[in-house]
Amino acid sequence: MSLSKTETLELQCSLRQAVINCSERCQYQSAKWAAELLDALPDDNLGGELTSLAEVFNTQTDPVEMRLEQDELPKYLMAKSLLDCHETRRCAAVFLSSDSSEHTIPLQNNVLNISHGKPSRSVFSKTSQKGLFLASHALLLAGEKQITEELGPILGPSDTGAVINKQLAPLKHFHTADTLFSSMLISSPFHLDFLPHHSNILHTLGSSSQLAFLTHLSTSISRYRPETHVALGNYYSLTSRHSDAIRAFRLVLQLDRNFTAAWTLLGHEYCKVENTHAAISAYRRAVEGDNKDYRAFAGLGVVYESLEKPTLSLHYYRQALALRPDDGELWHMMASCLGSMGRVMQGIEALKRAIACSGDGRGNNQDDELGARCKRIELFFQLANAYAEVQERGEATKYLEICVDEADEVEGSGDVGAPLSTATVSVINRSRLLLARWIAADGDDTRARYLARQVDQGSEFAEEARDLLRSFVVTEEEDDGE
């Protein structure tokens, strides 16, 4: 919905006053957000119709400078709020990079792409002296900060160990989110507030090259912002530099103890190196700071399950599912926990919920669709075995048939670009062999023989499949003898 000229004028006045009021009360982040909204509004030459406190108390007598200051007031307010928030390079970029590098992603130490010495004449002609002073001052502060940071690391020896950072969220919308974040990065490369979310997405997608670029960019802009080290930790985790990942997340928490996402990520790291005490402590700090962090609750469930405390594990899985009731991975984890407790029927219901929430992956990109369909094969196989455990052979056979049909469809699909994982191939061979035995027991030797021949001859189940086929030959010979 487009705004009329009067509505735009009213909104500009309100946002300008909001920036001033928030800044006076030291609410610098709020002032920054209001200033960003103000700068995003269209400029329809409304400056002459606005009367503000800045104009009333303006001591500028030069009419040219006065006009420039009036025209660039939204930019100045945003630059001032960025400086208040200690985002010095982004503050300088508001004025000094508007001509040459507004859409340039910086990769060198000269992150603003500004030549040393005097700025270009076009910058002088389009920017007020007030704006140039603020930008130059911000650039000076950024340079001093960089010199300080290059004196050396601020942490000593830290934890080491192998760990893989796992994300529990489904991949359905991750590629779309990555595209949107990338667009934001191109339009505003100095805006690092969304960096943890973007780096988490890239980690989950396994995009190491994009994550490397993101960490290089953020490090060149602000080396010791917590958001920078979240991205760096995700990159180290993805590239198996696990001790460096732990050090990065610890540095995030040294910079900001209340950065709850970093507590969760650190918990994942400690969980995988089997430092369960540290993992529990990190996850608890995460949920204390954000009781909506389902990943931390799920992490606690995983840790307590590894400690063979299924009651506590189930409690935390339920906490996670209360926040994410449509997460198929969480339902699968709960099903495994229930199965280990001997509560098979409840585990069966959880497996069915996992299948319903997982979907078939259609509509995603090729790799995600293949991953989702392989996951369904595993879930149907587990569901069939669960029914077999409670002596419901009819239901078990039904779901094993579905499992084999899904496997045939995946293997027969001509658009599968990547080979199936070893674990998936093993599940497919086991399901075919098990179904062949069940069907043979029911008297359908023809179908059983077909399924046994479908077992991969190079798999660990090949010998069992050959034994089953030989049993059919012996049975036929005995029948002929009679």
Side-chain angles (χ1 to χ4, degrees):
M1 180 181 71
S2 60
L3 298 176
S4 67
K5 189 173 183 180
T6 302
E7 290 172 331
T8 303
L9 175 62
E10 292 176 352
L11 185 55
Q12 283 191 349
C13 289
S14 298
L15 287 173
R16 289 187 185 194
Q17 193 60 47
V19 174
I20 295 169
N21 290 343
C22 291
S23 182
E24 288 175 348
R25 292 161 176 78
C26 299
Q27 301 297 308
Y28 297 131
Q29 289 291 342
S30 299
K32 182 183 75 171
W33 297 331
E36 288 174 339
L37 288 174
L38 176 61
D39 188 59
L41 288 177
D43 184 9
D44 295 327
N45 296 321
L46 296 173
E49 302 180 27
L50 292 172
T51 301
S52 66
L53 292 174
E55 294 171 1
V56 173
F57 294 101
N58 195 346
T59 59
Q60 181 61 254
T61 58
D62 187 331
V64 176
E65 282 295 311
M66 187 181 297
R67 180 65 182 178
L68 286 172
E69 290 180 13
Q70 180 179 300
D71 290 344
E72 71 187 18
L73 182 58
K75 278 190 173 183
Y76 184 85
L77 290 174
M78 183 170 75
K80 173 65 167 56
S81 63
L82 291 171
L83 187 61
D84 289 336
C85 293
H86 307 289
E87 297 186 37
T88 51
R89 294 194 181 276
R90 193 175 169 209
C91 169
V94 171
F95 292 110
L96 297 185
S97 66
S98 58
D99 289 333
S100 60
S101 61
E102 182 179 13
H103 301 291
T104 301
I105 304 296
L107 291 176
Q108 307 299 329
N109 289 334
N110 181 15
V111 295
L112 295 177
N113 294 332
I114 301 170
S115 59
H116 296 287
K118 293 183 178 180
S120 65
R121 187 172 298 275
S122 62
V123 175
F124 275 125
S125 62
K126 294 182 180 180
T127 307
S128 69
Q129 294 300 306
K130 184 179 178 181
L132 285 173
F133 175 82
L134 181 65
S136 300
H137 179 60
L139 202 56
L140 174 64
L141 293 177
E144 291 177 346
K145 182 180 179 184
Q146 182 175 347
I147 292 172
T148 302
E149 291 171 352
E150 289 175 351
L151 293 177
I154 64 174
L155 278 182
S158 63
D159 307 81
T160 59
V163 62
I164 299 175
N165 177 5
K166 294 293 185 180
Q167 299 293 334
L168 299 177
L171 299 176
K172 184 175 182 181
H173 302 298
F174 276 17
H175 290 283
T176 303
D178 175 35
T179 302
L180 293 173
F181 278 131
S182 298
S183 300
M184 292 170 62
L185 189 66
I186 292 171
S187 63
S188 183
F190 300 96
H191 194 171
L192 303 182
D193 292 349
F194 61 84
L195 200 62
H197 304 293
H198 195 187
S199 66
N200 284 341
I201 287 170
L202 293 175
H203 182 282
T204 304
L205 295 175
S207 303
S208 58
S209 58
Q210 283 184 266
L211 195 49
F213 171 77
L214 195 66
T215 56
H216 185 80
L217 170 65
S218 59
T219 303
S220 68
I221 294 172
S222 183
R223 181 175 299 179
Y224 285 110
R225 274 192 65 170
E227 294 86 349
T228 296
H229 284 272
V230 170
L232 200 58
N234 276 326
Y235 172 73
Y236 287 144
S237 178
L238 186 60
T239 55
S240 299
R241 296 169 61 179
H242 306 304
S243 61
D244 291 331
I246 292 175
R247 183 162 53 248
F249 292 135
R250 285 168 60 90
L251 180 52
V252 174
L253 295 167
Q254 184 169 351
L255 294 169
D256 184 357
R257 291 279 180 176
N258 296 319
F259 205 113
T260 55
W263 284 114
T264 302
L265 293 172
L266 187 61
H268 292 339
E269 302 285 322
Y270 283 131
C271 180
K272 291 299 180 178
V273 298
E274 299 182 357
N275 188 344
T276 54
H277 176 75
I280 290 171
S281 297
Y283 285 137
R284 289 194 183 280
R285 288 294 299 269
V287 297
E288 286 172 6
D290 180 9
N291 60 6
K292 304 289 187 187
D293 189 348
Y294 76 95
R295 297 175 306 157
F297 284 117
L300 284 168
V302 171
V303 173
Y304 280 117
E305 191 169 8
S306 70
L307 293 174
E308 298 183 356
K309 296 183 178 180
T311 303
L312 280 173
S313 176
L314 185 61
H315 167 74
Y316 286 112
Y317 286 147
R318 283 175 172 161
Q319 294 275 80
L321 280 167
L323 298 169
R324 296 273 295 189
D326 296 328
D327 194 312
E329 184 67 24
L330 287 176
W331 281 109
H332 187 198
M333 294 162 72
M334 176 178 268
S336 298
C337 182
L338 289 167
S340 68
M341 298 171 70
R343 297 160 66 172
V344 181
M345 291 306 300
Q346 289 178 293
I348 286 173
E349 294 304 315
L351 280 171
K352 289 181 178 179
R353 289 292 298 272
I355 293 170
C357 294
S358 298
D360 58 5
R362 299 183 190 278
N364 296 334
N365 67 34
Q366 194 172 28
D367 291 338
D368 290 349
E369 180 178 344
L370 177 60
R373 295 173 74 180
C374 289
K375 185 67 176 179
R376 282 172 59 85
I377 291 172
E378 180 184 350
L379 290 171
F380 278 119
F381 180 73
Q382 292 182 7
L383 185 57
N385 278 281
Y387 271 116
E389 187 175 347
V390 294
Q391 305 300 318
E392 293 192 22
R393 176 61 68 82
E395 289 294 302
T397 302
K398 180 180 76 173
Y399 285 109
L400 199 56
E401 290 273 13
I402 296 173
C403 174
V404 170
D405 289 343
E406 294 248 348
D408 291 341
E409 187 177 345
V410 167
E411 289 185 336
S413 177
D415 59 356
V416 174
L420 299 178
S421 68
T422 302
T424 301
V425 172
S426 177
V427 168
I428 291 173
N429 285 319
R430 288 173 63 192
S431 62
R432 285 170 174 162
L433 179 60
L434 184 58
L435 184 59
R437 286 173 173 165
W438 288 355
I439 289 178
D442 292 337
D444 190 350
D445 290 353
T446 302
R447 177 103 195 283
R449 195 180 282 113
Y450 168 79
L451 288 168
R453 291 194 181 106
Q454 291 294 106
V455 175
D456 188 356
Q457 293 303 302
S459 72
E460 66 270 35
F461 306 103
E463 186 60 36
E464 294 179 60
R466 285 192 287 269
D467 289 342
L468 182 61
L469 288 170
R470 283 193 289 267
S471 70
F472 293 137
V473 174
V474 172
T475 302
E476 289 176 354
E477 290 176 351
E478 291 177 351
D479 291 342
D480 291 341
E482 292 177 0

